[in-house]
Amino acid sequence: MPGPDPDAGQDQERGGLRGALGGLTTRGRSFLAAGLAAALCAYLLGQGDLLRVGLLLALLPLLCAVFLYRTRHRVEGSRQLVPAQVPAGSEARVTLRVDSVSRLPTGLLMLQDRVPYVLGPRPRFLLDRVEPGGRREVSYRVRSDLRGRYPLGPLQLRLTDPFGMCELNRAFSGQSMLTVVPRVERLPPLRPGGEARGFGEGRQHTLALAGEDDLIPRGYRHGDDLRRVHWRSTARLGELMVRREEQPHRAGCTVLLDTRAAGYAGSGPGSAFEWAVSGAASALLHLLEQNVTVRLVTDTGDAVPAEGSPPASGGRSGQTAALLMDLLAVVGHSDGAGLSRAHEVIGESGEALLVAFLGDLDEEQTALAARVRRPGSTAVAFLLDSGVWAGEGGTEALDARARRLREAGWTVVPVPPGVALAPLWGGAGAPWPAGPARPRTTSSSSGGAA
């Protein structure tokens, strides 16, 4: 749980006491004007009692302004955001705390926190007087259906004296950042087919997600445990051999996310592009949970984690997941027109599995995507067609792209609108037959709980 935001004591000054006098309300200005007028009349008429009344009326708002000016520097504000990272459509709680370190009680307080309009209306709270050394806490919730990073703050505080003569504002400079990441679905284990039936040898490549330690005999060394002696190899080789325990091979995977603006039409939480981003996030987290070394590559050629980074394991796996989700929270359309950079980056790697989320492809990009798959590796493509998602029909182009990728050894899964990734992911275990057949749609929602 993150600690309070240390923004206390950082206010924006407006000219000291002169600014405090500028905070006089209509009532305060009226009292000041009436007091000065009474004092002037008392001086001209020689009325001592009227002079005392005039001085009292004039001094009251001035004393209230001085009191508030000194009090606002003794009020501290802080903000706590829990959690700081939420999936799209989920809520986060923001807690505001006000502490009084003054020896005098405060007047009426009004809190206002500045939030982007996407997160909802600007929250306002009215607090009664705070006793010396007292504390007040209020909270509100924020929610966004759109990915992104949203700043919260600065916190604004308005102080009012008990007589309503003066109002002063104070703004704290500290801000908190809310990160809204894509929705993530729970996915079944994926053991996809390698090459489509009818092409090549048609052998099945499965991804080894975990396995027992391989036992490899080696020569005996001083200090080795005798319980590890491999007697069969010892008898065959004529020398003492022991079992050497090797860690299981950790298969690698690349997730390719097509972010080209030309590949998608429409926007908003239910658009094809948002589905692709959510699908990539779900695949990455699922594979990380299965102890698979993964990386994200976009059509711009950017790879996260970068080439040469140490493999994710244990705590590093959590760091990799956080890094990937932070990136996917703000990923947008690229200006690039093709997949050539992604082809160069993926062609230099040796991962056993390639999972791609692709938008609209013309003939040139389809041929380039077909060459992205390395021979002998497993490749699964989730195809999203803008015409199908817009309800315009016309699946001939989608069928042609799918057939071309299957001929290159891809397992192709066309994505109808409104279908969750989980059933499509489970159905990617065997290649789809070449032709116009597409996976049956389901009534599942596209957003799953993380």
Side-chain angles (χ1 to χ4, degrees):
M1 178 179 296
D5 186 15
D7 56 355
Q10 301 292 331
D11 61 327
Q12 298 176 352
E13 296 295 342
R14 290 188 178 180
L17 189 57
R18 183 178 179 182
L21 294 177
L24 290 175
T25 62
T26 302
R27 179 184 300 178
R29 291 190 178 94
S30 299
F31 268 66
L32 181 59
L36 293 177
L40 179 60
C41 292
Y43 174 76
L44 295 177
L45 300 176
Q47 297 292 327
D49 294 335
L50 183 60
L51 178 61
R52 287 190 289 270
V53 173
L55 292 178
L56 176 62
L57 294 177
L59 287 177
L60 182 58
L62 298 179
L63 293 176
C64 290
V66 174
F67 168 77
L68 281 186
Y69 174 75
R70 295 179 61 86
T71 300
R72 72 169 181 170
H73 294 282
R74 297 182 178 274
V75 177
E76 297 179 352
S78 62
R79 181 190 304 102
Q80 190 178 40
L81 175 62
V82 180
Q85 184 184 92
V86 296
S90 300
E91 291 184 340
R93 178 181 289 273
V94 183
T95 302
L96 304 177
R97 192 178 75 182
V98 176
D99 295 275
S100 175
V101 295
S102 175
R103 296 181 180 179
L104 297 174
T106 66
L108 197 65
L109 302 179
M110 190 182 77
L111 293 179
Q112 178 177 277
D113 208 10
R114 184 174 300 175
V115 300
Y117 72 94
V118 177
L119 302 182
R122 184 170 297 182
R124 293 182 175 90
F125 303 93
L126 195 62
L127 303 180
D128 200 357
R129 54 181 295 179
V130 181
E131 66 277 5
R135 174 187 300 174
R136 297 290 186 273
E137 287 187 357
V138 293
S139 63
Y140 64 94
R141 294 181 178 273
V142 290
R143 178 182 181 272
S144 175
D145 293 327
L146 299 176
R147 300 176 293 107
R149 291 196 183 99
Y150 302 101
L152 303 179
L155 175 63
Q156 295 178 337
L157 178 65
R158 178 177 294 178
L159 299 89
T160 304
D161 68 280
F163 299 101
M165 299 289 180
C166 184
E167 290 183 353
L168 292 181
N169 296 326
R170 180 178 180 185
F172 301 92
S173 61
Q175 290 184 323
S176 301
M177 189 66 65
L178 175 66
T179 303
V180 180
V181 299
R183 292 185 179 96
V184 176
E185 300 181 42
R186 293 289 184 182
L187 303 179
L190 174 64
R191 297 183 180 274
E195 299 172 355
R197 286 190 290 267
F199 302 100
E201 299 178 357
R203 47 190 185 92
Q204 299 292 322
H205 297 275
T206 58
L207 181 64
L209 298 181
E212 298 181 355
D213 293 342
D214 298 327
L215 301 180
I216 304 175
R218 61 168 175 81
Y220 175 81
R221 298 173 184 171
H222 180 71
D224 286 339
D225 191 349
L226 293 179
R227 291 175 296 183
R228 294 172 53 194
V229 173
H230 196 267
W231 297 109
R232 183 178 300 177
S233 299
T234 299
R236 185 176 68 253
L237 299 177
E239 60 176 319
L240 196 60
M241 305 292 291
V242 297
R243 295 187 299 271
R244 178 174 58 184
E245 297 181 356
E246 295 288 345
Q247 296 297 323
H249 173 69
R250 182 173 297 164
C253 173
T254 294
V255 175
L256 171 61
L257 176 60
D258 180 12
T259 63
R260 296 172 301 115
Y264 304 91
S267 59
S271 63
F273 180 67
E274 292 300 322
W275 193 99
V277 175
S278 177
S282 302
L284 288 166
L285 293 189
H286 172 72
L287 294 170
L288 282 174
E289 291 176 355
Q290 300 296 326
N291 203 29
V292 180
T293 303
V294 298
R295 67 169 179 166
L296 173 66
V297 177
T298 64
D299 57 289
T300 61
D302 297 329
V304 179
E307 190 70 24
S309 301
S313 60
R316 190 177 297 276
S317 178
Q319 297 175 4
T320 302
L323 178 64
L324 292 171
M325 295 303 288
D326 284 342
L327 173 64
L328 291 175
V330 296
V331 68
H333 289 299
S334 66
D335 297 332
L339 301 173
S340 57
R341 294 182 181 177
H343 176 261
E344 296 174 359
V345 173
I346 297 176
E348 299 173 355
S349 64
E351 285 85 358
L353 176 63
L354 172 62
V355 179
F357 295 87
L358 303 175
D360 295 338
L361 302 173
D362 55 20
E363 294 184 2
E364 179 183 356
Q365 298 306 314
T366 302
L368 186 58
R371 296 196 300 270
V372 170
R373 175 186 173 272
R374 297 174 58 255
S377 64
T378 298
V380 182
F382 294 91
L383 288 184
L384 297 96
D385 185 86
S386 298
V388 175
W389 276 72
E392 300 174 356
T395 61
E396 294 78 7
L398 176 63
D399 295 335
R401 292 195 294 267
R403 187 180 301 109
R404 176 68 181 87
L405 292 177
R406 292 190 185 105
E407 292 175 353
W410 284 77
T411 298
V412 181
V413 183
V415 181
V419 177
L421 175 62
L424 301 180
W425 184 271
W432 294 100
R438 291 183 298 277
R440 184 177 57 186
T441 61
T442 66
S443 58
S444 302
S445 62
S446 62

